[in-house]
Amino acid sequence: MGQLNAFVHDDGSLSAEAQHWLQSLPGTAYVTDSAWWLGELHFLADSISTLGQRQAADYRSQPDRWLAQIPEPERWPLLEQLQQALARGDHAARLSYVVERQDGSQCEVDDSLSILRDADGAVVALVGFLLPQKIEPVVSESLSLQALLDHSDDVIMALDEDLNCCDVAGNTQSMLGIAVASLRSSSLFGLMAPEDGSRVRRLLAEGAAQAASAMLELRLRHRDRGYRWFEIHFSPCPLPAALTLTSSEMPGWIAVARDITQRRQQSLQWDAYTATDELTSALNREPFMGLLSHAFSSGDATARFTLIVFDVDHFGDINAAWGREGGDLVLSCIGEMCRATLKERFSFGRLEDDTFALLLSGKSLQESAAIAERLRGRFASTRVEFHGHWLAFSVSLGVAERRADESAQALLARAEAGVKAAKGNGRDRVQQAP
């Protein structure tokens, strides 16, 4: 790629001779400004139509179409990888990724970049060369080791201390919906459910200190935006210097991942009084209402019960701003804070996506309202860390005390009316039900 320097002027423009030579190369050459495919496209060979199944003119008029063909889960790590190379002052970078074609097929691409800089080190242009990755046929009658790995139900990864994937083998397309090349150089933490990340980091740090293996169950994001459960066996293993992405005395890891989503689903207990929501550890709506009805029908008719119902203010805005991961992180924190804040005995249920209920026994309406206010203050003062940002949220709460011979549904309706009134009065407040 170094030969191209002579053809690219300081302003990134190309001579006619350079353009003719680049068109004749047995691959797809392109030249962009420092913003890569998000900026100005100075040159693009016509052969890109073979890779992307779009005419070169389409990309010349709208360069970010090429980026749009890279699946979103790997697009942003790819941009970050390139940005790091530019910031370090590198003069070359190599990217591997997948592009999705118009007919639904995928093509793995090697993208070799020359980073052209001026005398002050500022990036003038990026000269790239795209080649589809070759798939070597299996010539032996017996399956090769690589073929066995590629068809295995497990994925084997070489990870550095930050769980950046340095190398990978296995059927990642089936398990995660992404190609091997897309997982390579990505961080496993980037695919992990946010609430699992801190636990995994802590357990692996303990394992590294003792040079011990760890078997962990965690969730990884599939390309369909849902999460799947994986059982991953981490074995400490110093990685060769050529593989590691960082320099550290901490060990690397050889990780073997197996999809256990179906096993997890089969092992769930669907008993109406014990089924809980995995994200918040709260009872799901049906078992919570069953418990509420059972408490009313089997207990003393004069027993005192109060119900606190609350939901997250502007939860749709949180999801819009931070995505499903950010919203899930807020919801998981709600379950943790309820258990940490409340000393009283209570039953906890998740009624809707962002609506929760607490059933208290032996408390007056005023006592329960004070408990609700304590909980509201705790939520309002909490900041949740999410990928380097701090998320704030509040809740609106309704409180109702059971009346004589009142049904579970009627009590719930009055508590929900309290929530509606709290929102109408400005949100982030407690409202006693009429």
Side-chain angles (χ1 to χ4, degrees):
M1 299 297 292
Q3 303 175 49
L4 297 176
N5 294 359
F7 296 95
V8 182
H9 305 314
D10 289 343
D11 62 357
S13 62
L14 297 175
S15 65
E17 179 185 0
Q19 294 189 40
H20 176 75
W21 182 71
L22 290 172
Q23 287 282 16
S24 67
L25 291 175
T28 300
Y30 68 91
V31 182
T32 73
D33 63 15
S34 60
W36 203 40
W37 294 90
L38 287 171
E40 183 180 352
L41 189 60
H42 298 308
F43 172 82
L44 178 63
D46 294 333
S47 56
I48 196 168
S49 60
T50 303
L51 290 176
Q53 292 186 344
R54 281 183 178 275
Q55 295 301 312
D58 293 341
Y59 297 111
R60 293 184 187 119
S61 63
Q62 193 174 335
D64 60 359
R65 280 180 172 167
W66 180 253
L67 276 179
Q69 288 184 246
I70 302 173
E72 187 175 351
E74 54 234 62
R75 186 187 313 154
W76 303 117
L78 198 67
L79 288 168
E80 184 177 355
Q81 180 185 349
L82 178 58
Q83 188 57 44
Q84 289 173 353
L86 298 178
R88 285 195 303 263
D90 295 353
H91 290 275
R94 183 174 178 179
L95 308 175
S96 295
Y97 51 87
V98 169
V99 292
E100 296 178 330
R101 294 162 159 171
Q102 288 186 304
D103 64 1
S105 64
Q106 293 186 332
C107 179
E108 295 186 21
V109 174
D110 271 336
D111 189 345
S112 299
L113 287 162
S114 285
I115 303 172
L116 308 185
R117 301 177 181 271
D118 60 19
D120 297 324
V123 178
V124 173
L126 301 175
V127 183
F129 192 64
L130 304 172
L131 279 176
Q133 290 190 4
K134 294 181 179 179
I135 302 176
E136 298 295 338
V138 179
V139 296
S140 171
E141 292 184 1
S142 60
L143 287 174
S144 67
L145 175 59
Q146 184 62 49
L148 288 172
L149 291 173
D150 289 344
H151 291 84
S152 169
D153 286 336
D154 296 339
V155 168
I156 302 175
M157 297 168 284
L159 307 169
D160 67 15
E161 61 164 308
D162 293 322
L163 299 196
N164 293 308
C165 189
C166 308
D167 205 357
V168 60
N171 192 354
T172 59
Q173 190 70 51
S174 172
M175 296 178 70
L176 294 169
I178 59 177
V180 166
S182 301
L183 182 57
R184 197 174 287 131
S185 299
S186 298
S187 170
L188 210 59
F189 283 121
L191 295 175
M192 208 175 294
E195 57 272 19
D196 290 344
S198 58
R199 174 178 61 89
V200 171
R201 195 182 297 274
R202 173 176 54 82
L203 292 174
L204 289 184
E206 293 173 358
Q210 302 172 12
S213 299
M215 178 75 79
L216 304 179
E217 291 188 1
L218 51 92
R219 287 163 292 175
L220 297 179
R221 186 177 64 252
H222 192 273
R223 183 166 169 259
D224 64 10
R225 297 185 180 276
Y227 282 103
R228 295 191 180 179
W229 277 98
F230 286 84
E231 179 182 79
I232 305 183
H233 185 268
F234 293 89
S235 298
C237 178
L239 299 180
L243 273 185
T244 55
L245 304 180
T246 59
S247 176
S248 172
E249 296 180 359
M250 291 283 285
W253 302 93
I254 297 299
V256 181
R258 174 167 294 178
D259 189 333
I260 60 169
T261 304
Q262 185 175 2
R263 189 178 82 192
R264 291 274 304 194
Q265 292 173 343
Q266 291 173 345
S267 67
L268 289 176
Q269 300 299 314
W270 295 109
D271 180 80
Y273 296 104
T274 59
T276 58
D277 167 50
E278 289 187 8
L279 187 62
T280 63
S281 297
L283 290 171
N284 290 317
R285 181 186 180 93
E286 184 176 348
F288 180 82
M289 293 305 298
L291 183 148
L292 189 61
S293 297
H294 179 75
F296 287 7
S297 62
S298 62
D300 185 345
T302 62
R304 173 171 270 176
F305 292 99
T306 49
L307 190 64
I308 301 173
V309 175
F310 64 93
D311 69 11
V312 182
D313 296 329
H314 302 297
F315 187 67
D317 293 343
I318 293 175
N319 278 331
W322 303 102
R324 178 176 174 179
E325 292 180 54
D328 284 353
L329 184 57
V330 168
L331 296 178
S332 68
C333 288
I334 284 176
E336 293 177 8
M337 286 189 287
C338 281
R339 288 183 290 275
T341 305
L342 301 182
K343 305 304 180 185
E344 298 78 5
R345 184 175 181 180
F346 64 93
S347 297
F348 181 40
R350 184 179 181 185
L351 305 182
E352 300 292 347
D353 190 25
D354 64 327
T355 304
F356 299 86
L358 298 167
L359 174 63
L360 303 171
S361 60
K363 300 291 183 183
S364 68
L365 181 62
Q366 290 72 26
E367 289 173 323
S368 296
I371 292 170
E373 179 59 31
R374 188 165 81 240
L375 197 59
R376 183 209 63 77
R378 177 68 185 274
F379 289 147
S381 63
T382 295
R383 299 293 181 270
V384 182
E385 185 179 9
F386 179 67
H387 296 321
H389 299 276
W390 292 99
L391 276 63
F393 66 98
S394 64
V395 300
S396 296
L397 305 95
V399 186
E401 182 178 5
R402 184 200 183 193
R403 295 169 178 167
D405 299 324
E406 187 175 36
S407 68
Q409 289 290 350
L411 177 62
L412 175 61
R414 288 200 300 117
E416 289 177 333
V419 174
K420 185 176 181 180
K423 289 187 176 294
N425 291 329
R427 294 184 170 84
D428 189 22
R429 65 188 62 236
V430 177
Q431 181 70 49
Q432 295 185 20

